[in-house]
Amino acid sequence: MTLTVTDLAIARGGVPVLEGLSFTLAPGRALILRGPNGIGKTTLLRTVAGLQPPLAGRVEGAEETIAYAGHADGIKPPLTVTENLKFWAQVFGTGDIAPALKAFALTDLADRQAGNLSAGQKRRLGLARMLVTGRPIWALDEPTVSLDRDSVAMFAAAVRAHLGQGGAALIATHIDLGLEGEVLDVGPYKARPRPVEDFDGGFL
Amino acid sequence: MTALLLRDLRLAFRAGGGFGLGLAFFLIVTVLVPFAVGPQSALLSTIAPGVLWLGALLACLLSLDRLLALDWEDGSLDLLATAPLPLESVVTIKALAHWITTGLPLVLAAPFLGVLLNLAPPGFLWLVVSLLVGTPALSVVGTFGAALTVGLKRGGLLLSLLVLPLYVPTLIFGAEVARRGAVGMETATPLLFLGGITAACIALLPFASAAVLRVNLR
């Protein structure tokens, strides 16, 4: 499944942040998004994931193919690691969570309450969720925050395995993951600041 | 969908999940009323249906602000919105989980609290019936309010202000069923109205809740 973004313009909080952005993401490839803080990397990922509509342009091939992981991991503290992961596996209609636990070294923590995990362990649990979604395109927003060096390597190996199976990944990150893939600097696509005449959002 | 329902129920019953808070609130309100009104059993008997309905309604309101706010805070709402489940079914399941953990215990506890308020014997059955028919509407309307205020800091009070006026029809007809039942009058008409309101809420409001949730997630 190829993801095609054509002449995309996006806004955050009613202010356009990026415009004229086009790229394609073929199966087996990774695209690393770079750019300074506030340029709109998160907004771009949320738009591609379908959480917000673009101002202009088209996103094709994203319907039911994207697994999105934002800044928050969506972990329920009172549930155990297994219960958290099994829930997402059931929602996405996939079965086995053991490979995902193993890929992120969570097997020993499987019966621990998620609320008692460290920040890095929580992040690993959040990333393990990507494996149980079974979706071909991963959209990851700063996935390596609070991960130590070993965990970053673990994550890079998981992404590489995903690409090897014909998946694709769209990653906003500032560290070098050692993945073969294009780097897209979104800085040059910065939109001219102008207010959007749409003060009531989508309510009317 | 079953997975989401089971997860929400499990979260409610685990420590800090808030199960029983509404029930305890309901108990305290109904215990306080005789203290405030004084030991006049005839008067208590007259106002019992209305007080019990009002207590149940406020108890329902108590847990609404956690309904979607917790999922929004930890990011699960974003992830659920990108999952294969339609948002309409997500909000319906959330309302169902809220009813099972809040509404259903209120229905079951109401007859016992009716004794405290000297409710007339024929009223017990009708009180339970009216709450059973009416409380699902409270959960569904409350979910709509929670969807409207998700993402707002201190949205709880605003949620109450938005939702309480929408509870008025359910309260009027629900309390009327219980009152008429207690004095031995015909209850069919208000009961049909109450059922109609609940059915309409369940049929229509999930679409509205999902729509405002989509706007709020942007």
Side-chain angles (χ1 to χ4, degrees):
Chain A
M1 196 77 194
T2 303
L3 176 72
T4 313
V5 168
T6 322
D7 204 20
L8 192 72
I10 53 177
R12 178 180 166 76
V15 179
V17 285
L18 293 173
E19 59 188 6
L21 185 66
S22 301
F23 62 82
T24 55
L25 183 60
R29 306 295 299 171
L31 186 65
I32 313 288
L33 299 173
R34 292 261 157 86
N37 291 149
I39 190 74
K41 299 185 293 294
T42 298
T43 313
L44 174 60
L45 285 170
R46 290 180 66 89
T47 309
V48 169
L51 284 169
Q52 63 177 73
L55 274 184
R58 283 198 312 277
V59 178
E60 284 160 84
E63 199 70 28
E64 300 274 304
T65 57
I66 298 221
Y68 169 77
H71 293 291
D73 293 315
I75 291 170
K76 290 293 171 192
L79 301 184
T80 65
V81 169
T82 312
E83 285 169 334
N84 267 296
L85 211 52
K86 201 166 255 167
F87 165 67
W88 289 112
Q90 283 166 345
V91 164
F92 282 90
T94 56
D96 198 10
I97 62 162
L101 285 175
K102 194 157 169 279
F104 285 95
L106 291 164
T107 315
D108 293 341
L109 302 168
D111 296 323
R112 190 86 70 86
Q113 269 198 1
N116 296 335
L117 298 181
S118 78
Q121 287 168 335
K122 277 184 189 152
R123 182 95 293 210
R124 264 153 55 196
L125 175 55
L127 292 171
R129 188 182 60 85
M130 306 304 280
L131 288 174
V132 301
T133 59
R135 293 247 169 124
I137 303 171
W138 290 1
L140 299 158
D141 196 0
E142 299 286 0
T144 55
V145 169
S146 65
L147 289 185
D148 60 20
R149 198 187 301 159
D150 290 347
S151 305
V152 171
M154 228 182 276
F155 165 66
V159 174
R160 217 170 282 127
H162 177 63
L163 299 181
Q165 292 161 8
L170 186 62
I171 307 174
T173 183
H174 286 278
I175 69 159
D176 189 13
L177 291 169
L179 298 170
E180 56 268 29
E182 300 86 40
V183 172
L184 175 69
D185 185 1
V186 293
Y189 300 99
K190 190 173 182 350
R192 284 170 287 109
R194 62 185 155 80
V196 183
E197 287 170 15
D198 184 23
F199 84 98
D200 49 17
F203 274 105
L204 291 180
Chain B
M1 276 167 62
T2 325
L4 182 60
L5 181 64
L6 287 178
R7 181 193 75 149
D8 274 15
L9 292 180
R10 203 175 275 157
L11 283 172
F13 290 119
R14 290 271 163 96
F19 174 73
L21 272 184
L23 198 58
F25 180 80
F26 188 36
L27 174 72
I28 289 172
V29 167
T30 36
V31 168
L32 286 182
V33 169
F35 288 133
V37 174
Q40 310 167 49
S41 49
L43 177 60
L44 278 176
S45 180
T46 318
I47 61 171
V51 167
L52 286 167
W53 249 94
L54 195 59
L57 187 141
L58 293 176
C60 248
L61 197 66
L62 204 63
S63 50
L64 282 178
D65 61 333
R66 305 166 58 97
L67 192 69
L68 291 167
L70 285 181
D71 276 335
W72 185 80
E73 274 163 22
D74 64 19
S76 354
L77 211 50
D78 280 347
L79 305 179
L80 280 174
T82 54
L85 287 179
L87 268 183
E88 285 81 3
S89 73
V90 170
V91 291
T92 310
I93 292 292
K94 289 254 162 208
L96 178 62
H98 179 262
W99 183 73
I100 291 174
T101 55
T102 311
L104 194 57
L106 295 181
V107 175
L108 298 178
F112 300 100
L113 299 177
V115 176
L116 289 178
L117 294 178
N118 195 22
L119 184 66
F124 284 91
L125 171 68
W126 292 110
L127 177 70
V128 173
V129 169
S130 66
L131 282 173
L132 198 60
V133 174
T135 44
L138 301 183
S139 290
V140 174
V141 172
T143 310
F144 173 63
L148 269 177
T149 54
V150 76
L152 293 178
K153 295 264 182 283
R154 303 271 175 277
L157 188 59
L158 181 62
L159 172 64
S160 312
L161 294 178
L162 285 171
V163 162
L164 277 177
L166 299 177
Y167 278 177
V168 169
T170 305
L171 176 64
I172 290 174
F173 291 108
E176 185 66 6
V177 171
R179 189 189 68 79
R180 282 172 164 258
V183 296
M185 286 161 74
E186 178 67 40
T187 53
T189 312
L191 190 60
L192 284 176
F193 265 104
L194 186 66
I197 292 165
T198 301
C201 286
I202 294 175
L204 300 175
L205 273 178
F207 296 99
S209 309
V212 291
L213 208 50
R214 274 192 199 97
V215 173
N216 273 335
L217 281 180
R218 281 178 193 172

